[in-house]
């Protein structure tokens, strides 16, 4: 197995959680070559804690609080080894995580990064751990990773090890993003290089109610999802402008026919819908409907069903901000409009069923009404 992993741990004001993170890193079956902790001007006892680790941890103290992305970028310039592993200061890594991920890279020298699965957990004041499962995860081929990552963020930094040469190629994290900076970085990685994945669990993602963000731009756990939505929209509006359409197809295949273009537009539309950029999604679905009269294949139907499956829910349907009238008229956009509209509507069946099972009958009724309007245009 190759050696030479530089671990980066950005931290701010989380000394109690940081200790568990560092201890999990120091308990690896294969030891990292170096662990670099970047302290973002923590007001707590973080520096005292780090001092207790002696030479086992290299500490970088920043002069001003400038956020997680800046801390990681600063650490990049200090890494001395060919592989880089970024670990959050509130998560725990499995004892064989590094061995698993580096082993995957050894077996596939063409892969620029390796990634693995996670499981979520909570820990109460008494120290009791509760496993919450993985949450959103998808198993996919290397050719599909970019598209599935664009649909949703499921490969997290503590679960991946990246070749330093690839980091240098894609450039630093975007320091303008307070949230989703790791998501945007992963998208650039997936656009640039091949990956190798495993369904093995490699880290434990802590769920907690602590404050997020920077000192001057902090936010509570209750605001977390809306912040993710806001910053994801910033990222995907830019991608909509800049990313070639063929990259929305598996393996970034060449668009050689109207059917290929239709498929790419429907996939991009689904991605934009999941980011709640419904106007942009609708525009893609309209163009897709006009391109070919050929019947949708099963893979296209399955893709369209995912439009309403955002992990952030569908509050826009519940609060009536969703552009229902426009979606109900998709069949007027072209010969494939009717089947696109029907396939999109079928994705709401899961929302209806889930609301019923949760005894949220008013929510189920609203979803069913929207489903009926889109599916049957009534």
């Amino acid at each position: 197995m190759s050696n030479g992993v530089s671990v980066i741990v950005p931290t701010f004001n989380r000394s109690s959680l940081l200790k568990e993170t560092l201890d999990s890193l120091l308990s690896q079956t294969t030891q990292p070559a170096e662990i670099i902790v970047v302290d973002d001007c923590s007001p707590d006892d973080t520096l005292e804690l780090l001092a207790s680790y002696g030479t086992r941890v290299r500490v970088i103290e920043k002069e001003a609080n400038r956020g997680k992305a800046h801390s990681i970028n600063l650490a990049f310039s200090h890494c001395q080894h060919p592989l880089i592993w970024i670990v959050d200061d509130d998560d725990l890594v499995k004892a064989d995580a590094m061995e698993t991920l580096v082993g995957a890279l050894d077996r596939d020298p063409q892969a620029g990064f390796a990634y693995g699965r996670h499981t979520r957990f909570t820990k109460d004041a008494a120290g009791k751990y509760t496993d919450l499962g993985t949450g959103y995860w998808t198993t996919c081929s290397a050719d599909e990773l970019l598209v599935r990552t664009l649909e949703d963020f499921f490969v997290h930094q503590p679960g991946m090890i990246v070749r330093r040469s690839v980091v240098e190629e894609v450039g630093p994290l975007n320091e303008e993003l307070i949230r989703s900076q790791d998501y945007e970085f992963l998208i650039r990685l997936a656009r640039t290089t091949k990956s190798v994945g495993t369904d093995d669990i490699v880290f434990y993602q802590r769920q907690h109610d602590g404050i997020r963000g920077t000192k001057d731009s902090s936010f509570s756990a209750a605001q977390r999802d809306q912040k993710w939505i806001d910053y994801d929209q910033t990222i995907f509006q830019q991608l909509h402008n800049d990313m070639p359409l063929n990259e929305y197809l598996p393996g970034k295949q060449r668009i050689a026919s109207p059917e290929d273009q239709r498929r790419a537009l429907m996939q991009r539309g689904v991605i934009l819908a999941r980011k709640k950029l419904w106007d942009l999604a609708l525009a893609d679905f309209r163009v897709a409907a006009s391109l070919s009269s050929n019947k949708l294949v099963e893979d296209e139907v399955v893709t369209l069903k995912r439009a309403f499956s955002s992990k952030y829910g569908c509050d826009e349907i519940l609060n009536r901000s969703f552009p229902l009238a426009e979606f109900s008229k998709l069949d007027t956009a072209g010969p494939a409009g009717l089947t696109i509209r029907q396939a999109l509507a079928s994705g709401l069946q899961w929302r209806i069923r889930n609301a019923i099972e949760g005894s949220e009958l008013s929510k189920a009724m609203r979803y069913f009404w929207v489903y009926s309007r889109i599916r049957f245009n009534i």
Side-chain angles (χ1 to χ4, degrees):
M1 174 180 291
S2 300
N3 290 315
V5 176
S6 294
V7 180
I8 297 172
V9 184
T11 190
F12 175 64
N13 205 31
R14 285 181 176 164
S15 64
S16 60
L17 304 182
L18 176 62
K19 183 180 188 309
E20 288 188 81
T21 299
L22 293 176
D23 289 348
S24 71
L25 284 166
L26 291 167
S27 299
Q28 290 294 292
T29 54
T30 301
Q31 286 290 294
E34 62 179 349
I35 299 174
I36 302 171
V37 180
V38 184
D39 178 47
D40 202 13
C41 301
S42 300
D44 62 5
D45 61 346
T46 291
L47 290 177
E48 289 83 350
L49 169 69
L50 293 173
S52 70
Y53 284 90
T55 58
R56 293 179 295 171
V57 172
R58 185 148 60 101
V59 180
I60 299 175
E61 298 180 49
K62 289 167 60 175
E63 296 181 356
N65 178 269
R66 295 178 59 183
K68 177 182 176 181
H70 179 268
S71 295
I72 293 171
N73 290 340
L74 178 62
F76 281 155
S77 64
H78 289 265
C79 291
Q80 300 176 354
H81 300 277
L83 301 176
I84 294 177
W85 187 14
I86 302 168
V87 177
D88 291 334
D89 61 356
D90 53 355
D91 293 331
L92 307 177
V93 290
K94 193 178 175 188
D96 62 354
M98 195 178 104
E99 183 177 352
T100 297
L101 295 175
V102 175
L105 288 174
D106 282 346
R107 291 188 296 273
D108 191 345
Q110 300 304 312
F113 65 97
Y115 68 89
R117 195 181 186 111
H118 66 281
T119 188
R120 302 168 301 159
F121 76 96
T122 59
K123 181 182 177 184
D124 64 19
K128 179 184 177 182
Y129 287 82
T130 301
D131 191 318
L132 304 175
T134 297
Y136 182 80
W137 177 262
T138 186
T139 299
C140 59
S141 69
D143 281 349
E144 295 175 310
L145 180 67
L146 173 58
V147 172
R148 300 310 297 272
T149 293
L150 291 169
E151 286 191 1
D152 213 340
F153 184 32
F154 63 97
V155 175
H156 299 274
Q157 286 180 334
M160 56 189 289
I161 289 180
V162 188
R163 298 190 194 277
R164 182 177 174 181
S165 58
V166 175
V167 172
E168 292 169 349
E169 182 178 358
V170 303
L173 275 71
N174 185 342
E175 296 179 17
E176 298 299 316
L177 299 174
I178 297 174
R179 203 67 174 165
S180 297
Q181 63 273 84
D182 44 359
Y183 189 12
E184 191 269 345
F185 185 65
L186 174 61
I187 291 169
R188 281 189 278 136
L189 288 173
R191 292 182 68 188
T192 301
T193 186
K194 179 185 177 184
S195 63
V196 56
T198 174
D199 282 337
D200 293 345
I201 290 173
V202 295
F203 85 99
Y204 308 100
Q205 186 182 67
R206 189 190 300 265
Q207 308 294 299
H208 62 88
D209 295 330
I211 296 296
R212 273 81 169 171
T214 64
K215 179 180 178 182
D216 295 329
S217 300
S218 62
F219 54 93
S220 68
Q223 299 171 295
R224 178 185 59 185
D225 284 0
Q226 188 57 53
K227 288 289 185 181
W228 265 325
I229 292 170
D230 292 344
Y231 283 98
D232 282 2
Q233 288 183 339
T234 296
I235 293 166
F236 280 83
Q237 284 171 330
Q238 190 64 49
L239 286 173
H240 180 266
N241 294 332
D242 298 341
M243 186 165 151
L245 187 60
N246 73 296
E247 292 193 38
Y248 292 90
L249 295 175
K252 300 191 285 188
Q253 69 186 59
R254 184 173 66 90
I255 294 177
S257 67
E259 288 75 22
D260 290 340
Q261 186 177 3
R262 184 180 72 176
R263 184 182 177 197
L265 283 166
M266 289 191 297
Q267 177 64 79
R268 187 173 71 176
V270 165
I271 289 165
L272 293 168
R274 291 169 70 94
K275 309 309 174 188
K276 307 186 182 301
L277 294 169
W278 287 106
D279 290 343
L280 292 177
L282 181 62
D284 277 351
F285 294 143
R286 281 175 174 156
V287 176
S290 71
L291 289 174
S292 172
S293 59
N294 288 354
K295 183 179 179 181
L296 299 184
V297 300
E298 181 61 25
D299 283 350
E300 291 174 321
V301 173
V302 170
T303 296
L304 288 168
K305 285 182 177 181
R306 295 199 292 266
F308 291 102
S309 299
S310 169
K311 65 183 179 183
Y312 303 125
C314 282
D315 287 353
E316 63 273 21
I317 288 179
L318 304 176
N319 64 26
R320 293 171 168 75
S321 62
F322 173 73
L324 177 58
E326 290 81 358
F327 270 79
S328 300
K329 299 174 184 176
L330 265 174
D331 53 316
T332 65
L338 176 61
T339 52
I340 289 175
R341 176 165 61 80
Q342 292 174 337
L344 286 167
S346 63
L348 275 170
Q349 293 174 337
W350 174 81
R351 292 282 180 194
I352 297 167
R353 184 169 57 253
N354 192 56
I356 291 172
E357 291 173 354
S359 299
E360 298 176 293
L361 297 185
S362 61
K363 183 183 290 188
M365 291 175 64
R366 176 63 185 172
Y367 284 144
F368 181 75
W369 186 78
V370 172
Y371 162 79
S372 300
R373 281 287 308 276
I374 299 176
R375 178 69 175 78
F376 304 108
N377 197 16
I378 59 174

